[in-house]
């Protein structure tokens, strides 16, 4: 039985609940055992007691008590129903790249990356056993996407690959390019958004519905809990003044960063009811997030490309995910063609 472990929180793990973080690190642990550790004060964050809902920050130290061998050597607990054949085929059909080191998915919009309160096992982590492809172990998550954001999601197929990929995300040695549709056209049509972000609590019993509030760059240092956030954006094509195809590149990786930043410009991501509301008119503070007509009400935000060093060879690779069906239909409506976009509009512009 391993003794006490002190684990440092990686940057790509920041803002995770401590219970979910621990289950990702030690998938054999049940939720009940984790909560017992927390109640007894055996699991501590920077030396202090924590609750299951405590949010972690990058660089924090988590004290993990000894875990019995029979738990570590046991099978992953059945956190939900057995994976159905249909779900197994669905997640396997999402694979856009696979080798001995990593798997890349084109994650569907609406599919969570991890489980949460009230969710079943139908999330990427819960379907990982269908992605073994002959291996004994499930592939591991090394970064995340919001539930309603589609696109490139990478999973590691070995401990060494997980370490290399997690390190690359932490060091910001990867480049992410998102495509979205904005309600309204940003002005200017290219720029860098530097508004900080701070959590605004939700209204649910357990804090559900929380969202990020933007903070002026000059007030970040004096606003408790605020973090620096930087996003590059560029309009690729516009549909008059009603909507735009935008490329977004997050320099930092904060919760809901792209959605909050685009809403702060007065041009929220189409379909984003959380940050842009459900209106279709310009009331003087920007467009509502719904474009109306035949345009889908789903979120129009897609992780189009991820550029990173391969964890095995070190060579740079670019993973590209086709648009989801609802966004592809919007492109057809506006007459936009994905092939007309530059591979990396920000670098090519420079």
């Amino acid at each position: 039985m391993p003794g006490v472990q002190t684990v440092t929180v990686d940057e790509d793990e920041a803002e995770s609940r401590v219970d979910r973080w621990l289950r990702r690190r030690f998938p054999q642990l049940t939720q009940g055992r984790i909560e017992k550790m927390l109640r007894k004060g055996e699991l501590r964050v920077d030396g202090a007691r924590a609750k299951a809902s405590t949010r972690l920050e990058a660089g924090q130290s988590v004290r993990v008590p000894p875990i019995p061998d029979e738990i570590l050597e046991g099978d992953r607990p059945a956190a939900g129903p057995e994976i159905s054949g249909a779900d197994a085929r669905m997640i396997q059909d999402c694979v856009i790249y696979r080798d001995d080191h990593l798997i890349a998915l084109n994650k569907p919009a609406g599919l969570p990356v991890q489980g949460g309160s009230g969710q079943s096992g139908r999330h990427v982590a819960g379907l990982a056993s269908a992605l073994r492809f002959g291996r004994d172990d499930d592939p591991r998550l090394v970064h995340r996407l919001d539930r309603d954001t589609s696109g490139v999601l990478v999973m590691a197929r070995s401990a060494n690959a997980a370490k290399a990929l997690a390190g690359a995300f932490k060091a910001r040695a990867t480049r992410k390019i998102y495509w979205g549709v904005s309600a309204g056209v940003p002005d200017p049509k290219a720029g860098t958004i530097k508004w900080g972000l701070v959590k605004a609590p939700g209204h649910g019993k357990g804090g559900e519905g929380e969202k990020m509030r933007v903070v002026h760059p000059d007030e970040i240092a004096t606003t408790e809990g605020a973090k620096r956030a930087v996003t590059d954006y560029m309009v690729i094509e516009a549909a008059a003044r009603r909507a735009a195809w935008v490329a977004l590149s997050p320099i930092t990786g904060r919760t809901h960063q792209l959605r909050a930043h685009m809403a702060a410009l007065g041009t929220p991501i189409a379909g984003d009811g959380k940050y842009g509301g459900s209106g279709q008119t310009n009331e003087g503070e920007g467009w509502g997030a719904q474009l109306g007509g035949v345009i889908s009400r789903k979120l129009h935000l897609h992780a189009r490309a991820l550029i990173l060093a391969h964890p095995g060879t070190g060579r740079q690779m670019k993973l590209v995910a086709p648009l989801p069906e609802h966004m592809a239909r919007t492109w057809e409506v506006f007459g936009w063609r994905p092939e007309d976009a530059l591979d990396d509009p920000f670098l090519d512009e420079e």
Side-chain angles (χ1 to χ4, degrees):
M1 177 172 68
V4 172
Q5 302 178 60
T6 301
V7 184
T8 301
V9 179
D10 291 337
E11 182 161 336
D12 65 291
E13 299 173 316
E15 301 179 1
S16 297
R17 284 171 52 118
V18 69
D19 57 345
R20 297 174 193 167
W21 175 87
L22 193 65
R23 290 193 72 172
R24 289 199 300 276
R25 291 274 186 159
F26 302 94
Q28 301 89 344
L29 290 174
T30 64
Q31 184 69 18
R33 191 170 190 93
I34 292 172
E35 296 200 7
K36 183 177 180 180
M37 290 178 181
L38 292 164
R39 284 196 306 271
K40 294 175 68 176
E42 296 175 337
L43 191 149
R44 292 175 175 259
V45 178
D46 281 348
R49 284 177 173 264
K51 298 179 180 179
S53 59
T54 297
R55 299 282 180 171
L56 297 173
E57 297 181 6
Q60 286 186 313
S61 296
V62 182
R63 177 194 185 276
V64 181
I67 300 173
D69 291 337
E70 59 267 25
I71 292 178
L72 290 176
E73 295 171 1
D75 294 329
R76 181 188 294 266
E82 185 177 347
I83 299 175
S84 68
D87 278 348
R89 288 190 295 274
M90 179 277 294
I91 198 68
Q92 290 168 1
D93 286 344
C94 293
V95 175
I96 54 176
Y97 179 86
R98 184 180 99 209
D99 63 22
D100 289 340
H101 301 274
L102 62 87
I103 289 175
L105 306 178
N106 184 3
K107 186 191 81 66
L111 180 68
V113 171
Q114 296 165 274
S117 176
Q119 289 181 352
S120 68
R122 199 174 190 276
H123 46 79
V124 175
L127 299 173
S129 61
L131 297 171
R132 291 182 178 180
F133 298 109
R135 293 290 182 88
D136 293 332
D137 300 322
D138 296 351
R140 311 177 189 191
L141 291 168
V142 292
H143 68 127
R144 300 184 300 276
L145 292 176
D146 287 348
R147 181 191 66 186
D148 294 323
T149 301
S150 58
V152 181
L153 180 74
V154 169
M155 303 180 78
R157 302 193 74 190
S158 68
N160 287 338
K163 182 178 180 180
L165 289 168
F169 282 106
K170 181 179 180 180
R172 296 176 187 163
T174 63
R175 186 168 180 80
K176 305 170 186 175
I177 300 172
Y178 288 72
W179 281 1
V181 177
S182 63
V185 181
D187 183 18
K189 291 187 176 181
T192 299
I193 308 167
K194 297 183 178 180
W195 288 81
L197 296 171
V198 64
K199 277 199 176 88
H203 302 294
K205 184 185 298 184
E208 298 89 353
E210 67 180 14
K211 60 189 292 187
M212 306 304 290
R213 177 174 62 84
V214 295
V215 178
H216 190 279
D218 293 341
E219 298 174 357
I220 296 173
T222 57
T223 302
E224 184 177 359
K227 296 181 179 179
R228 186 178 68 93
V230 182
T231 301
D232 288 335
Y233 75 92
M234 180 176 296
V235 173
I236 297 177
E237 288 197 45
R241 297 176 59 191
R242 191 68 181 92
W245 166 10
V246 293
L248 303 162
S249 182
I251 308 305
T252 54
R254 309 301 183 196
T255 299
H256 295 175
Q257 175 177 318
L258 302 182
R259 296 163 62 184
H261 272 175
M262 289 302 292
L265 290 183
T267 53
I269 298 294
D272 191 354
K274 180 183 282 284
Y275 289 95
S278 59
Q280 297 177 20
T281 59
N282 188 329
E283 304 295 347
E285 295 183 353
W287 289 98
Q290 295 301 335
L291 295 178
V294 298
I295 304 299
S296 171
R297 295 178 66 87
K298 292 181 179 180
L299 185 71
H300 282 63
L301 183 61
H302 178 68
R304 171 66 173 180
L306 177 62
I307 302 167
L308 73 167
H310 188 277
T313 66
R315 294 178 180 174
Q316 188 177 83
M317 63 185 306
K318 183 177 183 179
L319 300 164
V320 178
L323 289 169
E325 183 180 354
H326 73 282
M327 290 181 66
R329 288 198 304 268
T330 299
W331 259 241
E332 290 178 4
V333 169
F334 289 124
W336 299 335
R337 302 193 314 161
E339 59 269 26
D340 289 343
L342 299 171
D343 284 344
D344 188 334
F346 302 99
L347 291 181
D348 289 334
E349 178 70 13
E350 292 168 3

